Amino acid sequence: MGRNNSEQGCDRILAFAVALLVLIGIVMVFSSSAVYAMEEYHDSWYFLKRHILWAILGTALLLAAKSVDYHKLEGATYIIMAVTVLLLIGVMFPQMSKEVGGARRWLVIGGFSFQPSELAKFAVILFMAKSLVKRADKLGNFAYGFLPNLIVLGIFFMLILLQPDFGTALIISIVCFTMLYIAGVKKNYLIYSVAAAAPFLISAVLSAEYRKRRLLSFLDPWADPSDTGFQAVQSFIAFGRGGLWGLGLGDSRQKLFYLPEAHTDFIFSVVGEELGFIGTLGILALFLLVLWRGFKIAYHAKDMYGTHLAMGLTLLVAIQAFTNMGVAVGLLPTKGLTLPFISLGGSSLLITMLCMGVLLNISEHTVRR
């Protein structure tokens, strides 16, 4: 189908959905963290103040990205990738990073900590979009059209896995393979690659005791509800208590030191307890709205680079959101991933807002089909 030359304005529906999710995040971070913050830091506003700061910085980053032509990212892709690789290597040095829960994922710069793996999500999607345009006519060729993408993905996968951060590495891989599939790479290449990587992935899970425990607790959390299945069971209790309409904003009981990571990985469970099934449906609807508008922007993008980039950025947010919600309700093993826009996490919020800023810029350059 042909396209005319009339460009559209910014996608206001997407902007509205993002703004609403950020506002909901601010409210839920305070609701889920106030008691814990008072106990640990003697300041119930401790996490809220940090989250609002990151939200302001994220909004500024979104507006900056929205105002810059997304085509400039294509030329800066290799620079962004090189910086990201250096940062990922930097977290391996104790002098430059900090260890939390046995993982070294945070780079410490001037008193602030940042997760390079979050930037890696953005960098890999930039590369994949650039590569798919460059190799558009050779995607059926394994050596030229597929292998270079696989090599770059493998490098980032290993660097992130060394932290270790299996969940983020897996999310990036799923997004990239989906982009390759949509772009038209032969299915056999993707299937054989997954089959070849399967023994390595299984070994990575079984070789780490905490990953093995997560898998076993996923299969039967009630077998050990006080230890390996504790998070899952407490999350189920939160949803059960919430019922249809919820206990009311701020009235969660599970956040009172029963549910671990209530303000980060399991904030969706607090939403379910306080706002009920209706509240969780509202969150799900907003993410589906982001998914729909993102796909629409990709479909109407001015060029194929915009199409691939919009697709990748949309998939990143949607897949991570659905994974987090899936973990909370027990459909997936625990991954240690935040709920985009809503969970406490400065690095995650900044990069997610950056992605949405770029997506909004692409929407300004769309054309009608």
Side-chain angles (χ1 to χ4, degrees):
M1 268 187 267
R3 304 184 183 193
N4 65 30
N5 295 321
S6 59
E7 296 189 359
Q8 309 303 304
C10 168
D11 192 314
R12 295 181 180 180
I13 298 177
L14 175 63
F16 169 78
V18 169
L20 191 53
L21 283 167
V22 171
L23 290 174
I24 292 172
I26 291 173
V27 172
M28 293 311 304
V29 163
F30 181 63
S31 176
S32 60
S33 69
V35 175
Y36 176 74
M38 177 60 75
E39 179 71 19
E40 292 292 319
Y41 302 99
H42 308 292
D43 180 7
S44 60
W45 300 80
Y46 179 81
F47 291 114
L48 177 64
K49 288 184 289 188
R50 295 168 69 89
H51 190 71
I52 289 176
L53 174 61
W54 287 116
I56 292 172
L57 293 175
T59 301
L61 194 57
L62 180 148
L63 294 174
K66 176 182 171 295
S67 64
V68 177
D69 190 333
Y70 68 91
H71 293 97
K72 293 183 179 180
L73 290 171
E74 189 173 7
T77 295
Y78 295 135
I79 296 175
I80 295 173
M81 290 175 64
V83 170
T84 304
V85 168
L86 291 175
L87 293 177
L88 288 171
I89 294 173
V91 298
M92 299 179 188
F93 297 93
Q95 301 87 344
M96 302 173 61
S97 60
K98 67 176 181 179
E99 184 175 332
V100 178
R104 195 170 289 279
R105 304 172 186 172
W106 289 265
L107 199 66
V108 180
I109 304 173
F112 288 92
S113 59
F114 179 77
Q115 282 186 270
S117 59
E118 293 294 334
L119 181 59
K121 298 174 183 176
F122 184 66
V124 174
I125 290 172
L126 288 181
F127 168 79
M128 200 63 63
K130 181 182 178 74
S131 177
L132 289 174
V133 172
K134 179 181 178 181
R135 308 171 198 280
D137 298 331
K138 300 289 185 179
L139 290 178
N141 183 297
F142 180 83
Y144 181 80
F146 179 67
L147 188 58
N149 301 311
L150 195 62
I151 291 173
V152 170
L153 174 59
I155 292 171
F156 278 91
F157 186 94
M158 290 305 301
L159 286 173
I160 295 172
L161 191 62
L162 288 173
Q163 297 182 358
D165 191 350
F166 187 75
T168 297
L170 196 60
I171 288 293
I172 293 174
S173 300
I174 293 171
V175 171
C176 289
F177 268 65
T178 306
M179 291 177 69
L180 290 166
Y181 174 76
I182 293 173
V185 168
K186 288 185 177 180
K187 296 178 184 178
N188 289 344
Y189 295 166
L190 300 174
I191 294 172
Y192 294 153
S193 298
V194 172
F200 169 76
L201 295 175
I202 294 173
S203 175
V205 171
L206 298 181
S207 62
E209 185 62 28
Y210 76 94
R211 293 191 192 121
K212 192 189 303 182
R213 286 158 60 92
R214 283 180 176 179
L215 180 60
L216 293 175
S217 67
F218 163 68
L219 295 174
D220 187 5
W222 296 99
D224 191 2
S226 62
D227 188 9
T228 58
F230 186 75
Q231 276 185 313
V233 169
Q234 296 304 316
S235 181
F236 297 160
I237 292 173
F239 284 112
R241 281 178 171 165
L244 182 62
W245 297 104
L247 300 177
L249 188 62
D251 290 337
S252 166
R253 299 170 189 171
Q254 291 304 99
K255 68 185 180 185
L256 304 178
F257 308 102
Y258 293 104
L259 180 64
E261 312 295 343
H263 54 297
T264 55
D265 300 353
F266 281 85
I267 198 167
F268 190 62
S269 306
V270 179
V271 172
E273 186 178 9
E274 295 189 348
L275 305 181
F277 181 66
I278 299 301
T280 60
L281 278 185
I283 300 293
L284 178 61
L286 285 172
F287 279 111
L288 288 174
L289 188 58
V290 171
L291 181 66
W292 167 50
R293 300 310 295 183
F295 280 178
K296 186 174 182 180
I297 292 168
Y299 181 74
H300 290 285
K302 192 173 184 178
D303 49 38
M304 288 309 298
Y305 176 68
T307 293
H308 292 307
L309 185 56
M311 187 65 67
L313 297 175
T314 303
L315 287 170
L316 175 62
V317 173
I319 291 175
Q320 180 162 332
F322 297 147
T323 300
N324 176 278
M325 290 185 279
V327 169
V329 299
L331 294 177
L332 294 170
T334 304
K335 292 286 190 301
L337 296 169
T338 58
L339 183 59
F341 304 111
I342 297 178
S343 294
L344 177 70
S347 304
S348 174
L349 184 57
L350 280 181
I351 298 303
T352 304
M353 295 292 273
L354 172 62
C355 292
M356 293 300 98
V358 175
L359 192 57
L360 287 170
N361 182 261
I362 298 173
S363 75
E364 291 183 343
H365 296 86
T366 54
V367 293
R368 293 185 184 276
R369 280 188 177 271

